[in-house]
Amino acid sequence: MGTLPDADAEGGRLFFRSETFARGSRRARPVPPVASVTEPARDVPVHAECDVLVVGGGPAGTAAAIASARRGARTILLERTNHLGGLSTGGLVIWIDRMTDWDGVPVIRGFAEELLARLPRDAVAGPPREAWGSRDAATAAWWGQRTAAFHGIVTHSPTVDPEWLKHVSLEMALEAGVEPLFHCWGAEPVVRGGAVVGAIFESKQGRRAILARVVVDATGDGDLFARAGAAHETAVDERDIHGCINTAWLFGGVDMRRYLEWRAERPDEFSAFLRIGREAVGTFDKAFVSWRDDVALFMGPRLAGYSGLDVDDLSEVEVRSHRLMVAHLDLYRRHVPGFGGAFLMLSAPQIGVRHARRLRGVGAVTRGDWAPAGGERIFVDEIGVSPSLSPKFANVSVPYRALVPEGVDGLLCPGRHLSCDTTSHSFLREVPQCWLTGQATGVAAAIAADRGLAPRAVDVRELQAGLRAAGALVRERVAESA
């Protein structure tokens, strides 16, 4: 895993250095007795042909597949698990971060809004719309303990029921005409003449291929674009939480109202408890609210020093995370009001990798693209708008060219592996931004397949018109941007 010598080299700083996480130490690994084995050549049967193939059914892949199918493209969606949503469901990243800007205006629109609006009312918790953007100190303090206020400002940051999010995601996909294939692991791109024309996947039926006019790498780790030879980056600053890995979990049988009252009314006791936890297990984390008052969410402890591209590292993180889950249960039961009857409810079926690879695209989002608050920078090929990390900055324009590989055709790459620097990655990897880039990718892929174009040749004006028609926020450019 590459590391950056200094985050400030990119003109930024570590926005999340205050977060607690632990650095891991890899166990010694035996040297394999042989360097390699030879696999004989074989013919791979073609399972299907389609207009758009989406590999990966996480937030970006789900949005891409639905947007593509809604424009009439025959769209196949490959997913290695038994559900859609990726880290937003199977990874228990059920705290959907900041969909409004610092004035309370919704900026993550379109697919994201529709998906959340279709959830049952009791499957979503968060501030009412009239509170978005509130700077009232008492209101912000109350929602701050409920993961929905930052810098003294209330935001639209709902927490959702992962099972309902799975269900609604699947129903939207089926209604759009997406053809989902579960329990299929996208293994290799099919490349002809420098362009990706399909993908090989592994399943219980063995090794098979799907051919497509346009392929979407929505793996989150850039597995397809890396194996297709697309340039990419792996460097990450291990001092920042976006380089950490962990498995999240849920405790049931809790009383979160009592817990939050204790935290607010007895902060010294809460701080002392965290010290007890750190002394007992080394790596310790606080409980977060979920969509229910009787369910607690643990998003950590976040573990640094591991690679999401190394199977031994991933295995070691799973072992550490599951042991930490049980250790947390014991300590919370014994010391924390509201947790006396807590029980192990669920450990995330999917490991929480925040960073593995970042595409080197035709363009990128970088720290230099963040305009100061009150300013506005709009890319000519804007496909969406992201909230900034701090009220000190204006909303961030997300360009189409950050989804297009620099030197490989036939491929689009939305989600947390899009083209950006490490500082911008810390928010562009979030679930709402993955919905944003996924929706844009699906519209672009359908246009490219219908017109017989390479994705890089798609008319951006047609793409933007399609996104606006689907409810996405795409602004009119008023000044030239690099």
Side-chain angles (χ1 to χ4, degrees), residues 28-355:
R29 299 171 186 169
V31 178
V34 293
S36 64
V37 296
T38 299
E39 184 178 8
R42 55 176 166 165
D43 292 330
V44 177
V46 174
H47 186 86
E49 297 186 24
C50 60
D51 297 316
V52 176
L53 170 63
V54 180
V55 181
T62 300
I66 292 171
S68 169
R70 283 178 172 176
R71 290 187 67 94
R74 183 187 177 191
T75 305
I76 295 177
L77 174 57
L78 282 184
E79 169 52 40
R80 61 189 174 95
T81 68
N82 68 345
H83 62 268
L84 299 181
L87 290 182
S88 68
T89 55
L92 297 182
V93 185
I94 57 175
W95 162 17
I96 309 301
D97 203 3
R98 291 172 301 122
M99 298 179 63
T100 48
D101 66 16
W102 298 108
D103 293 321
V105 177
V107 293
I108 305 287
R109 306 287 305 275
F111 174 83
E113 281 185 317
E114 179 185 355
L115 177 62
L116 293 178
R118 291 181 58 160
L119 295 172
R121 293 184 65 180
D122 61 357
V124 185
R129 190 180 186 100
E130 58 268 22
W132 300 349
S134 173
R135 286 171 164 79
D136 175 73
T139 303
W142 199 89
W143 282 112
Q145 283 203 317
R146 291 158 179 81
T147 65
F150 312 92
H151 302 290
I153 302 170
V154 179
T155 67
H156 178 30
S157 302
T159 307
V160 302
D161 181 338
E163 290 303 319
W164 272 108
L165 191 57
K166 290 177 186 176
H167 173 73
V168 172
S169 297
L170 179 59
E171 288 301 311
M172 287 177 63
L174 295 175
E175 289 169 10
V178 175
E179 301 172 41
L181 282 177
F182 294 110
H183 306 289
C184 299
W185 190 296
E188 294 285 343
V190 179
V191 182
R192 294 174 182 165
V196 176
V197 297
I200 293 171
F201 67 91
E202 297 279 2
S203 74
K204 291 293 186 180
Q205 289 180 278
R207 198 167 175 87
R208 292 186 164 221
I210 295 177
L211 302 180
R213 294 179 178 178
V214 178
V215 176
V216 175
D217 182 347
T219 61
D221 297 322
D223 295 336
L224 286 189
F225 72 61
R227 291 166 191 164
H232 59 275
E233 306 287 343
T234 59
V236 63
D237 195 309
E238 291 182 0
R239 299 170 295 169
D240 203 333
I241 65 169
H242 79 281
C244 298
I245 306 175
N246 66 280
T247 296
W249 68 76
L250 302 175
F251 287 166
V254 305
D255 184 343
M256 290 301 288
R257 291 186 180 182
R258 187 179 174 198
Y259 163 74
L260 292 176
E261 288 173 0
W262 172 68
R263 278 188 57 181
E265 296 171 2
R266 299 181 180 273
D268 292 342
E269 289 185 11
F270 177 66
S271 297
F273 166 65
L274 293 181
R275 287 195 298 272
I276 290 170
R278 287 190 289 269
E279 290 168 3
V281 300
T283 305
F284 202 67
D285 205 4
K286 55 185 176 292
F288 292 99
V289 297
S290 73
W291 74 103
R292 294 172 58 108
D293 286 335
D294 58 352
V295 175
L297 169 65
F298 286 80
M299 297 295 295
R302 303 170 182 89
L303 305 176
Y306 293 101
S307 170
L309 304 176
D310 186 308
V311 69
D312 289 302
D313 277 8
L314 293 171
S315 300
E316 192 164 330
V317 169
E318 291 283 15
V319 170
R320 288 192 66 185
S321 293
H322 282 83
R323 285 177 168 173
L324 286 166
M325 176 179 65
V326 174
H328 276 63
L329 180 66
D330 174 63
L331 288 163
Y332 268 79
R333 277 176 169 173
R334 288 194 284 120
H335 296 282
V336 176
F339 277 76
F343 61 86
L344 299 178
M345 180 176 173
L346 177 67
S347 58
Q350 292 180 240
I351 194 168
V353 175
R354 293 166 176 80
H355 176 278

Side-chain angles (χ1 to χ4, degrees), residues 3-15 233-240 242 355 358-359 364-370 393 419-426:
T3 60
L4 294 171
D6 187 351
D8 292 332
E10 292 185 299
R13 64 183 181 88
L14 297 174
F15 281 85
E233 306 287 343
T234 59
V236 63
D237 195 309
E238 291 182 0
R239 299 170 295 169
D240 203 333
H242 79 281
H355 176 278
R358 300 187 318 281
L359 177 73
V365 180
T366 68
R367 174 66 179 78
D369 297 319
W370 307 2
F393 301 101
S419 183
C420 62
D421 62 16
T422 57
T423 312
S424 302
H425 181 267
S426 60

